């Protein structure tokens, strides 16, 4: 025991318990009681204020009140979000984090709000903090993986793994520095590799700028790790905002950049270079300068310029994502749908909401593509000629005639470019090149297919309005007659894919021209669908399966109701259903985006269908289809627009009625299970009438062991060798995610090391049947390195009817778990996968059964 008689040491105060403050205690007690009462009354704002008072006055109650405080915060934040009080929302989170600075749940929730509002950098910071506090926190881990795909796009890894590309840039920079360009600015530095190349080559001064906060911080870490801290000055800003001498002391002699996208100009390289030439770069060299001035006194840009190429292609995969290709969706005729097209258009009528092009990797498109013309040279641009850069947007439209070399349907113009780093080195983004680049795709948006014939000429217009590269197919020339490509002409001209020539082409063309006069007055309805929505509408198997499953369900429910009536007989079903009929069946479709499933249900008769489609144009399309297919307008209802709360989305249509069917959208287009799916399914199953059904009723997850170098290169930087010896991999690989999404398994370069195997089953009708852990044994059929486990879904609508996300006409892509450390297997080895389900997220541990567990862990 301590000596009770020992006196306190000099300089220390006696420690005594603070005296109780009755008034303070009374205030705390009353406020806590008020907070709990307000919480019961769902007055979350007032409850939050009371909890703040209690926890500030009595911090000792933090552990006691933590759960209630979190719940109150989240409910109040949702209310503030719904009414647009964003500043108040973040003020509340700020106050909460002052009380609980190390609360991973609050940090994760604030990150979710930030991400939804577009603050991706800030969201990632909160998710990262939450994971540092609790590394096994699944919600924060899943959120961080999702946001990492936004912050560090997957092409960064491919680009850094492209040793050939990096070496060419390095050579061009070294030659420029050797010739006297010793002050360098790296615009859009990313990881800082080009700036480090310049410094290593001997540049006296190197500056770099990066707009993304995440990439700026990453570049700072990389430069420090490579011993160049202080030697490279990195600025967190756009180059357009830089000024002399505020940001850099003087003009530089060399700008290096790769701020180009698949369409060359989409990342703003023209604007940034014009600004650089006027404000940041030394004047360009001319003939007289070459005689009187040294290279250090003139400016230049790497890359020096670019040449754009294109070709016309036939491609079913592109076609079905940009225009309607089917005449029916299940039992529905789509004849009255009007003109549907994707939000990609480079025509003069396109507004700012339309994208001038999309991107695809032609070599990986399912079904491939056919080149209908030889590659043509569309544009040349000199990045070292400021007058040429300034005049790009005002260039007159260039009209080109391309000779058609192959019979086929015109689906798009595919575009790529050659980036000229200097006179000796260049990079090509062509479809035959093995690079990190995709190609720019300019789809043909005519309602009907355009059948080209060998010997035709395709007329293409090339322009650069608003400094965007725009290519548009405008006409076909056949037998010296030019025919514009518009919907009036396309209803008559070349809709038949049969390449056999018409024996009387002149008569065919004259008929098409004559038809222009009769169609010009037609009022065509037009509606824009997202590319994934268009592909879904074109998914014939999907709609046929749903139509059959809905027909079976409604038919069975009708029989069941007849059996319950006296004598088992009911009256005849009226030709025109009455919305007030008590025998109506209620069907709710909560699919994401545009969906005709509600209309498929309503077409069964005696069904009142509710659609979650929100956009007015798309609602009008469904109304038009309903009228054309004999569905009374009263039997299709649009409701719950902008409602996010699950309780509200799935509520009953009336107090007396339960749902006969609830259609859930279960799989994201990218290949992942939708977040909170199981919670929605559990709620939906409680709202069904006897015999009712949740569609789908269950989902089987399948996977396969594969060896794929491509997936490794797209998922993480593979050491120092591809990055010219610079230490970059450990830093950017922090943003490696274990799941590769938007994957086309049919075209993925890989070796199959096993047969497909069932990984998991999600029972949406009975959540009690689901398990949280499962061990799956997979027999290796070939020797190799297991680098990934691609996975897909068999979506069971009922016991007999199902659709696969792996089918050829699927609108879904696939996904794959990429192992951080490949697993070497021999043919016959048994690989054990420990699969775990947490909410809608699946994680796996993999090892060879005979050799014990590895450290591998990945989330699906």
């Amino acid at each position: 025991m301590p000596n009770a008689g020992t006196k306190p040491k000099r300089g220390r105060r006696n420690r005594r318990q603070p005296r109780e403050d009755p008034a303070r205690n009374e205030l705390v007690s009353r406020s806590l009681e008020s907070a709990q009462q307000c919480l019961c009354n769902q007055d979350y704002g007032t409850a939050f204020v009371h909890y703040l008072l209690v926890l500030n006055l009595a911090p000792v109650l933090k552990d006691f009140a933590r759960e209630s405080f979190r719940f109150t915060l989240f409910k109040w934040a949702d209310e503030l979000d719904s009414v647009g009080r964003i500043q108040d929302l973040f003020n509340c989170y700020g106050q909460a984090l002052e009380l609980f600075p190390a609360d991973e749940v609050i940090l994760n929730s604030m990150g979710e709000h930030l991400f939804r509002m577009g603050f991706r950098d800030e969201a990632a910071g909160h998710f990262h903090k939450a994971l540092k506090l609790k590394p096994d926190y699944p919600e924060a881990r899943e959120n961080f993986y999702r946001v990492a795909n936004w912050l560090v796009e997957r092409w960064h890894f491919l680009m850094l793994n492209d040793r050939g590309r990096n070496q060419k840039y390095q050579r061009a920079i070294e030659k420029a520095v050797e010739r006297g360009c010793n002050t360098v600015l790296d615009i859009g530095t990313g990881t800082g590799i080009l700036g480090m190349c310049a410094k290593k080559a001997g540049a006296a001064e190197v500056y770099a700028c990066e707009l993304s906060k995440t990439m700026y911080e990453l570049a700072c870490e990389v430069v420090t790790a490579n011993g160049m801290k202080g030697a490279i000055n990195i600025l967190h800003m756009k180059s357009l905002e830089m000024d002399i001498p505020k940001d850099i002391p003087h003009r530089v002699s060399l700008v290096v950049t790769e701020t180009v996208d698949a369409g060359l100009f989409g990342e703003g390289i023209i604007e940034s270079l014009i600004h650089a030439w006027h404000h940041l770069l030394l004047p360009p060299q001319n003939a007289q300068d070459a005689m009187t001035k040294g290279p250090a006194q003139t400016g230049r840009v790497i890359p020096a310029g670019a040449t754009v190429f294109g070709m016309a292609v036939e491609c079913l995969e592109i076609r079905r994502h940009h225009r309607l290709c089917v005449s029916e969706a299940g039992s529905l005729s789509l004849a009255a749908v009007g003109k549907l097209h994707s939000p990609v258009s480079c025509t003069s009528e396109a507004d700012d909401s339309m994208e001038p092009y999309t991107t695809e990797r032609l070599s990986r498109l399912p079904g491939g593509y056919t080149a209908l013309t030889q590659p043509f040279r569309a544009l040349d641009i000199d990045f070292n000629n400021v007058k040429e850069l300034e005049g790009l947007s005002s260039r007159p439209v260039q009209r080109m005639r391309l000779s058609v070399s192959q019979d086929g349907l015109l689906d798009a113009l595919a575009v790529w470019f050659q980036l000229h780093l200097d006179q000796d080195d260049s990079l090509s983004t062509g479809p035959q090149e093995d690079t990190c680049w995709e190609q720019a795709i300019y789809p043909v948006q005519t309602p009907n297919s355009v059948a080209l014939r060998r010997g035709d000429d395709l007329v293409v217009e090339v322009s650069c309005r608003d400094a965007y590269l725009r290519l548009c197919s405008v006409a076909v020339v056949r037998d010296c007659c030019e025919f514009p490509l518009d919907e009036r002409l396309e209803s008559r001209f070349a809709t038949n894919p049969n390449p056999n020539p018409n024996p009387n082409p002149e008569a065919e063309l004259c008929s098409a021209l004559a038809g222009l006069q009769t169609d010009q007055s037609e009022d065509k309805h037009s509606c824009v669908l997202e590319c994934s929505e268009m592909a879904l509408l074109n998914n014939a198997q999907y709609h046929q399966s749903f139509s059959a499953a809905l027909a079976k369900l409604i038919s069975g429910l009708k029989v069941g109701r007849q059996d319950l009536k006296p004598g088992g007989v009911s009256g005849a079903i009226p030709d025109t259903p009455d919305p007030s009929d008590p025998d109506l069946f209620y069907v709710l479709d909560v699919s994401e985006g545009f969906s005709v499933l509600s209309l498929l249900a309503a077409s069964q008769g005696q069904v009142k269908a509710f659609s979650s489609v929100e956009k007015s144009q798309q609602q009008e399309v469904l109304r038009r289809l309903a009228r054309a297919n004999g569905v009374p307008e009263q039997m299709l209802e649009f409701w719950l627009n902008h409602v996010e709360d699950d309780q509200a989305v799935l509520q009953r249509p009336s107090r007396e009625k339960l749902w006969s069917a609830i259609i859930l959208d279960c799989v994201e287009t990218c290949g992942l299970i939708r977040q909170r799916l199981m919670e929605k399914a559990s709620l939906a199953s409680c709202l069904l009438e006897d015999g009712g059904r949740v569609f789908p009723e269950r989902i089987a997850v399948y996977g396969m062991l594969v060896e794929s170098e491509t997936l490794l290169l797209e998922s993480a930087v593979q050491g120092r060798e591809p990055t010219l010896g610079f230490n970059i991999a450990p830093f950017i690989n922090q943003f490696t995610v274990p799941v590769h999404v938007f994957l086309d398994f049919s075209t993925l370069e890989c070796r199959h090391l096993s047969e497909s195997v069932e990984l998991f089953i999600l029972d949406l009708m009975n959540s009690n049947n689901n398990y949280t852990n499962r061990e799956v044994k997979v027999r290796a059929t070939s020797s190799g390195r297991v680098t990934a486990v691609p996975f897909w879904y068999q979506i069971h609508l009922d016991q007999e009817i199902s659709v696969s996300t792996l089918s050829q006409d699927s609108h879904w892509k696939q996904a794959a778990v990429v192992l951080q450390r490949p697993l070497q297997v021999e043919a016959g080895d048994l690989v054990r996968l420990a699969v775990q389900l947490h909410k809608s997220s699946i994680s796996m541990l993999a090892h060879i059964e005979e050799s014990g567990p590895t450290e591998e862990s990945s989330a699906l």
Side-chain angles (χ1 to χ4, degrees), residues 586-632:
Y586 283 69
V587 175
L588 172 64
D589 175 19
V590 289
S591 299
E592 300 283 339
F594 182 76
S595 168
V596 299
L597 297 184
S598 58
L599 195 53
L600 277 175
S603 66
Q604 302 298 325
Q606 212 173 340
V607 173
K608 177 71 176 282
F610 294 80
S611 170
S612 59
V613 169
E614 298 182 18
K615 296 179 180 178
S616 57
Q617 265 193 343
Q618 296 180 358
Q619 290 178 358
E620 180 54 36
V621 170
L622 289 182
R623 291 191 186 98
R624 199 157 57 241
L625 287 175
R627 290 192 293 269
N629 285 274
V631 176

Side-chain angles (χ1 to χ4, degrees), residues 357-564:
Y357 53 85
T358 184
T359 64
E360 297 284 358
R361 193 182 296 274
L362 288 178
S363 61
R364 293 194 195 173
L365 286 175
Y369 69 94
T370 300
L372 303 181
T373 67
Q374 294 298 315
F376 64 93
R377 193 169 185 149
L379 181 76
D380 286 284
I381 185 71
D382 183 357
F383 294 144
N384 284 301
N385 187 330
V386 66
K387 290 184 178 179
E388 187 173 325
L389 295 174
E390 290 175 326
L392 182 67
S393 293
S394 58
R395 282 188 184 185
V397 175
Q398 183 182 8
R399 191 175 173 92
M400 308 180 70
R401 283 180 59 160
L402 313 176
S403 177
V404 176
S405 56
Q406 177 69 43
D407 296 341
L409 301 181
L410 175 63
D411 291 315
L413 296 172
V415 168
W416 64 94
F417 57 87
Q418 193 170 24
L419 205 59
H420 309 298
L421 303 183
D422 57 17
Q423 291 182 343
D424 303 313
D425 284 304
S426 62
L427 299 170
S428 173
T429 67
Q432 306 304 321
E433 304 292 335
D434 185 18
T435 72
C436 62
W437 294 95
E438 295 181 325
Q439 289 75 52
I441 303 298
Y442 297 79
V444 173
Q445 294 283 21
T446 55
N448 301 296
S449 296
V450 180
L452 299 181
R453 299 175 183 170
R454 186 178 302 153
D456 288 347
D457 282 347
L458 178 65
V459 180
V460 173
E461 291 183 346
V462 181
S463 63
C464 295
R465 179 167 58 89
D466 303 326
Y468 274 99
L469 181 63
R470 300 174 186 272
L471 281 81
C472 185
S473 303
V474 295
V476 173
V477 178
R478 182 174 296 169
D479 297 325
C480 301
C481 295
E482 182 173 305
F483 300 91
L485 301 185
D486 57 38
E487 68 268 22
R488 296 181 298 275
L489 184 58
E490 289 317 307
S491 64
R492 294 165 173 79
F493 172 54
T495 59
N496 184 359
N498 182 4
N500 295 326
N502 189 323
N504 191 355
E506 292 80 5
E508 175 190 39
L509 299 181
C510 291
S511 174
L513 282 173
L516 289 176
Q517 301 300 320
T518 61
D519 275 359
Q520 284 180 342
S521 60
E522 290 186 12
D523 182 19
K524 297 269 187 180
H525 296 283
S526 179
C527 180
V528 175
L529 299 184
E530 295 297 328
C531 296
S532 58
E533 294 173 333
M534 187 70 76
L536 168 59
L537 189 57
N538 283 321
N539 189 338
Q541 182 188 8
Y542 176 87
H543 291 103
Q544 289 168 359
S545 299
F546 259 102
S547 183
L550 284 165
K552 281 176 58 179
L553 173 65
I554 300 303
S555 177
L557 290 174
K558 287 178 180 178
V559 171
R561 288 189 184 178
Q562 289 174 0
D563 291 342
L564 292 176

